[in-house]
């Protein structure tokens, strides 16, 4: 296998800047996106904020989106793959990202040898960019492809020789307010750009109002995050800190969740 073949899966979005210029850069941020829109939905506000600070912002899209529901004219799977990547690049450009990696897997290929290949690619990307923050689906997602990507990302981070980043889980298809640390970030100044990025995914907006859903979710989280304090922001993104999974390599996702739930029971029941 050709060395650094994964670099061929990168598409740059900033004129005059190559991937090499970001190698090991201080403050690089990586979002692992199971599907072509999960990055801006789950962490779009943080991506925009980081890009405006001049940091290198990257997305790694694992699957190619061929299984997306269709509404409107009938198109083939290959046409859908091309459309979804085009939409993803438009969304990343709106978010100010440096570019995106497209691993182009099918969901069915994330087990066995296909999963191992994705794990190696993720590890190599982490070792090249040495990000200070990595965002991935939190382990409460009611979506098997999201959960597979979470496991593969944790395994890749565990095996990487790069300094361990801050690992934060975003939630789209599920959430739980347990007792492990949640990180709340105010994205109020960036919410318009986030919605603009989400709207770039027109094939998805055609059958589900994702732009309204994420706007309501980020506002709801700002309102209901703290039960006895004055609301501090209009829109926030909330993440589950997951570094414990890197520090204790024997800790499984199941046990991590169990500890979180048990902590909730002890605190509130």
């Amino acid at each position: 296998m050709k060395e650094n073949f994964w670099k061929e899966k990168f598409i740059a979005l900033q004129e005059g800047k190559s991937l090499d210029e970001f190698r090991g850069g201080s403050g690089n941020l990586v979002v692992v996106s199971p599907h072509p829109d999960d990055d801006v939905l789950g962490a779009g506000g943080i991506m925009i904020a980081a890009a405006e600070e001049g940091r290198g912002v990257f997305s790694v899209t694992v699957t190619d989106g061929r299984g997306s529901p269709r509404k409107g004219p009938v198109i083939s799977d290959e046409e859908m793959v091309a459309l979804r990547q085009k939409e993803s690049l438009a969304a990343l450009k709106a978010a100010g990202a440096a570019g995106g990696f497209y691993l182009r897997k099918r969901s069915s290929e994330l087990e066995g040898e296909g999963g191992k290949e994705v794990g190696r690619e993720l590890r190599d990307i982490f070792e090249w960019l040495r990000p200070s923050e990595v965002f991935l689906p939190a382990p409460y997602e009611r979506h098997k492809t999201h959960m597979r990507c979470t496991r593969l990302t944790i395994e890749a981070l565990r095996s990487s020789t790069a300094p361990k980043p801050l690992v934060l889980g975003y939630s789209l298809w599920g959430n739980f307010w347990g007792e492990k640390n949640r990180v709340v970030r105010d994205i109020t100044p960036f919410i318009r750009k986030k919605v603009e990025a989400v709207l770039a995914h027109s094939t998805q907006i055609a059958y589900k109002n994702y732009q309204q859903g994420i706007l309501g979710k980020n506002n709801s989280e700002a309102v209901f995050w703290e039960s006895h304090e004055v609301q501090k922001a209009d829109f926030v993104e909330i993440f589950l800190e997951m570094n414990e999974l890197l520090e204790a390599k024997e800790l499984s996702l199941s046990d991590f969740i169990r500890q979180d739930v048990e902590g909730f029971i002890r605190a509130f029941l």
Side-chain angles (χ1 to χ4, degrees):
M1 187 177 293
K2 188 169 68 172
E3 185 178 3
N4 292 339
F5 73 99
W6 51 270
K7 292 175 69 175
E8 298 174 1
K9 300 182 178 183
F10 178 71
I11 299 176
L13 287 169
Q14 294 183 359
E15 187 175 351
K17 284 197 173 183
S18 69
L19 181 60
D20 290 350
E21 293 183 50
F22 292 96
R23 185 174 187 177
S26 174
N28 283 340
L29 180 154
V30 174
V31 182
V32 177
S33 186
H35 304 95
D37 57 351
D38 292 322
D39 44 15
V40 292
L41 282 166
I46 294 306
M47 295 170 73
I48 295 162
E52 292 194 0
E53 292 171 357
R55 297 167 59 188
V57 174
F58 300 85
S59 171
V60 183
T61 301
V62 178
T63 68
D64 59 16
R66 69 177 56 240
S68 302
R70 273 73 157 168
K71 184 177 180 181
V74 176
I75 62 173
S76 68
D77 283 353
E78 293 308 316
E79 288 173 320
M80 178 60 79
V81 169
L83 273 173
R84 294 219 64 188
Q85 181 169 306
K86 181 180 179 181
E87 291 170 355
S88 172
L89 288 168
L92 291 178
K93 190 171 184 63
F101 296 87
Y102 293 89
L103 306 189
R104 301 185 180 92
K105 292 293 185 183
R106 302 186 186 195
S107 295
S108 60
E109 296 175 328
L110 299 185
E111 303 288 355
E113 287 303 314
K116 290 178 182 178
E117 181 180 332
V118 169
R120 288 191 294 268
E121 290 177 329
L122 287 169
R123 180 199 63 205
D124 290 348
I125 291 168
F126 295 145
E127 291 185 346
W128 183 273
L129 291 174
R130 301 169 78 86
S132 60
E133 292 180 303
V134 170
F135 294 80
L136 73 164
Y140 293 105
E141 295 289 270
R142 295 175 292 106
H143 198 301
K144 289 186 177 180
T145 300
H146 283 220
M147 292 305 297
R148 290 187 187 115
C149 290
T150 298
R151 290 189 179 93
L152 291 171
T153 304
I154 293 298
E155 290 168 5
L157 287 166
R158 284 173 168 175
S159 64
S160 171
T161 59
K164 301 307 180 190
L166 176 61
V167 182
L168 297 174
Y170 60 83
S171 293
L172 292 176
W173 298 108
N175 211 340
F176 182 79
W177 303 121
E179 281 301 284
K180 290 187 182 294
N181 187 42
R182 267 68 177 176
V183 175
V184 184
R185 296 195 178 175
D186 183 0
I187 62 164
T188 305
F190 315 108
I191 193 63
R192 289 185 180 274
K193 281 191 176 181
K194 174 170 180 171
V195 172
E196 178 187 347
V198 171
L199 283 169
H201 292 278
S202 56
T203 59
Q204 308 309 291
I205 300 298
Y207 75 91
K208 196 184 287 282
N209 291 327
Y210 281 109
Q211 78 283 10
Q212 293 179 4
I214 202 62
L215 193 66
K217 174 181 168 63
N218 293 155
N219 175 245
S220 175
E221 288 172 339
V223 172
F224 291 104
W225 170 241
E226 293 176 319
S227 57
H228 292 90
E229 295 189 23
V230 174
Q231 183 179 337
K232 298 181 178 67
D234 291 329
F235 300 92
V236 302
E237 289 174 342
I238 299 179
F239 307 98
L240 172 62
E241 186 180 325
M242 299 173 64
N243 282 75
E244 187 179 354
L245 287 158
L246 306 189
E247 297 158 2
K249 292 188 176 182
E250 74 285 354
L251 181 63
S252 68
L253 279 174
S254 296
D255 286 339
F256 180 84
I257 291 170
R258 188 173 294 109
Q259 292 172 5
D260 199 26
V261 173
E262 290 174 349
F264 180 88
I265 291 170
R266 287 193 298 272
F268 295 103
L269 296 180

